Amino acid sequence: MTQQPSPTKSFLRALAGESLPTPPCWLMRQAGRYLPEYREIRSKAKGFLDLCYTPDWATEVTLQPLRRYGFDAAILFSDILVVPDALGQPVRFQEGEGPALTPVRDDRQIAALTLDGFQDRLRPVFETVSRLKTAIPTETALIGFSGAPWTVATYMVEGGGSKEFLAAKALAYGQPASFQRLIDLLVEATGDYLVTQIDHGAEAIQIFDSWAGALPEDAFDRWVIEPTRRLVEKIKTERPGIPVIGFPRGAGALYKRFVEGTGVDAVSLDTSVPLDWAVAELQPRVTLQGNLDPVLLVTGGEALDRGVDRILAACRQGPFIFNLGHGILQTTPPDNVARLVDRVRRVRG
Ligand code: CP3
């Protein structure tokens, strides 16, 4: 084993298990439509994926929230759905309607997906990571990311967003061997994608499993924990020293099994996770990240202050990164984000 140098950036120190007097802070979806400067760039791009695949634009929108708020981490601007797009299942984003894909629901459709040319199609994303590596401030860490295989598979099988996941669950429960082939393909593609992000400059990885909470425990073990464990193992083996944050949103009490079973260095807590429980059961093993209700950031004022203070009081004795419990909402007033960052930074030892 090669000895890893100790990190100096506060975000990476927290991920390495240090408890810091002022926790590092970044916010999921910190780049996005709540910022007027984002909407300006977005209006130049034909579709949302053009924005993700144009390094000039993707680099610029990644930097926008850093300029305003000086977050401790930047997250690559892209989307979890570039993976199916690059596997040959084109993704369209219709204005106000979310993503649309032609569903993949049987062996023949799954077999038509291909890793040939996968990394080539994602070259613009890797180019963005390279540019960000030199463009961000020296004290800011760069996060690469992907969706987790289960969440990405739900979009691929449903053909878009879903409430009940009827088609994805029908495949997972009814034809597990076929669903396993899709998950295996996603593990392979996503693993290569994340390792290549690291090779271009990503210093930490977050794996978004937004729909983890939709599965009962046996299916959670098979379709959430096991694929994520394989991704973490690949990163730990091939690029040792790069920390991984898992986000099994909605997992409830299964957060504990997720932490024990996947080998992640940190977990991002959704808004509903009780903090005393997380501090007692999870923080001894991993760094906690989270979990302010994004609606409090829309609300602002003293409700926001109280929400921030409650989380800091509960979590800051151990390794902790301040974040939301889910992404920033479009109606968030930018001034409220400044108020949040001031509040988090005000608290000391
Ligand atoms: O956090 C960041 O600032 C980095 C960029 C990022 C985006 N999406 C940009 C985006 C990240 C990390 C994501 C992750 C993502 N994408 C997830 C997991 C996290 C979560 O929110 O649960 C999921 C499920 C997606 C899939 C996705 N992308 C959907 C369902 C939508 C449409 C809904 C919406 O908000 O419009 C997107 C589009 C998207 N991804 C936008 C942004 C800024 C908005 C598109 C636009 O500007 O037109």
Side-chain angles (χ1 to χ4, degrees), residues 28-33 38 42 48 75-81 93 98-99 145 155 208 210 326:
M28 292 189 267
R29 288 278 186 101
Q30 62 193 24
R33 288 169 294 193
Y38 172 88
R42 176 73 182 81
F48 172 67
I75 182 161
L76 160 70
F77 190 85
S78 180
D79 196 82
I80 65 168
L81 298 180
F93 280 88
F145 76 92
Y155 287 95
F208 290 86
S210 306
H326 198 194

Side-chain angles (χ1 to χ4, degrees), residues 111-324:
L113 300 166
T114 175
L115 282 164
D116 290 347
F118 173 77
Q119 295 270 28
D120 264 1
R121 279 187 219 112
L122 293 169
R123 258 208 308 253
V125 178
F126 303 133
E127 169 66 20
T128 303
V129 178
S130 296
R131 292 190 194 188
L132 287 169
K133 185 185 155 95
T134 53
I136 63 175
T138 49
E139 66 278 14
T140 309
L142 181 58
I143 307 171
F145 76 92
S146 73
W150 159 249
T151 286
V152 174
T154 66
Y155 287 95
M156 296 174 79
V157 177
E158 299 288 341
S162 171
K163 283 209 169 70
E164 307 287 351
F165 308 103
L166 289 177
K169 288 185 177 183
L171 196 60
Y173 298 164
Q175 289 153 267
S178 301
F179 194 66
Q180 187 72 58
R181 275 191 279 281
L182 177 58
I183 292 289
D184 288 347
L185 176 70
L186 285 170
V187 169
E188 191 175 349
T190 304
D192 291 346
Y193 177 50
L194 292 174
V195 164
T196 310
Q197 288 183 39
I198 293 165
D199 290 342
H200 284 75
E203 298 168 288
I205 293 296
Q206 177 151 330
I207 301 174
F208 290 86
D209 217 343
S210 306
W211 306 118
L215 291 173
E217 60 180 322
D218 54 343
F220 185 91
D221 287 341
R222 181 162 181 188
W223 307 120
V224 171
I225 294 185
E226 182 57 18
T228 303
R229 186 195 66 72
R230 288 163 64 192
L231 288 175
V232 173
E233 182 179 67
K234 179 175 167 95
I235 293 168
K236 299 279 164 207
T237 310
E238 297 185 13
R239 299 298 180 270
I242 298 293
V244 181
I245 308 167
F247 182 32
R249 191 165 74 91
L254 292 172
Y255 258 97
K256 189 156 185 221
R257 207 138 97 198
F258 178 88
V259 161
E260 289 163 352
T262 58
V264 292
D265 302 275
V267 274
S268 208
L269 306 174
D270 68 67
T271 295
S272 71
V273 177
L275 292 178
D276 289 350
W277 178 83
V279 166
E281 300 292 331
L282 309 177
Q283 206 174 30
R285 300 184 73 122
V286 292
T287 299
L288 299 182
Q289 174 174 277
N291 74 342
L292 188 84
D293 187 342
V295 177
L296 280 171
L297 199 53
V298 178
T299 312
E302 283 174 19
L304 170 61
D305 294 348
R306 279 196 302 275
V308 171
D309 293 353
R310 180 182 72 85
I311 292 168
L312 290 171
C315 298
R316 60 195 280 278
Q317 262 40 266
F320 176 62
I321 296 162
F322 197 94
N323 207 314
L324 303 177

Side-chain angles (χ1 to χ4, degrees), residues 4-22:
Q4 301 299 324
S6 332
T8 54
K9 300 179 182 186
S10 68
F11 173 81
L12 297 176
R13 287 170 61 192
L15 283 178
E18 266 190 73
S19 314
L20 300 171
T22 305

Side-chain angles (χ1 to χ4, degrees), residues 20-104:
L20 300 171
T22 305
C25 176
W26 71 282
L27 303 179
M28 292 189 267
R29 288 278 186 101
Q30 62 193 24
R33 288 169 294 193
Y34 76 105
L35 289 177
E37 60 269 35
Y38 172 88
R39 294 195 297 270
E40 194 185 323
I41 303 274
R42 176 73 182 81
S43 69
K44 297 186 197 169
K46 261 193 265 107
F48 172 67
L49 284 187
D50 293 317
L51 180 54
C52 299
Y53 290 144
T54 307
D56 275 349
W57 288 337
T59 303
E60 169 57 23
V61 298
T62 306
L63 296 173
Q64 286 171 346
L66 302 184
R67 291 191 196 110
R68 273 189 189 246
Y69 309 114
F71 288 121
D72 297 290
I75 182 161
L76 160 70
F77 190 85
S78 180
D79 196 82
I80 65 168
L81 298 180
V82 299
V83 166
D85 196 60
L87 286 170
Q89 187 184 14
V91 178
R92 305 171 300 283
F93 280 88
Q94 277 117 338
E95 213 46 61
E97 280 175 41
L101 311 78
T102 305
V104 164

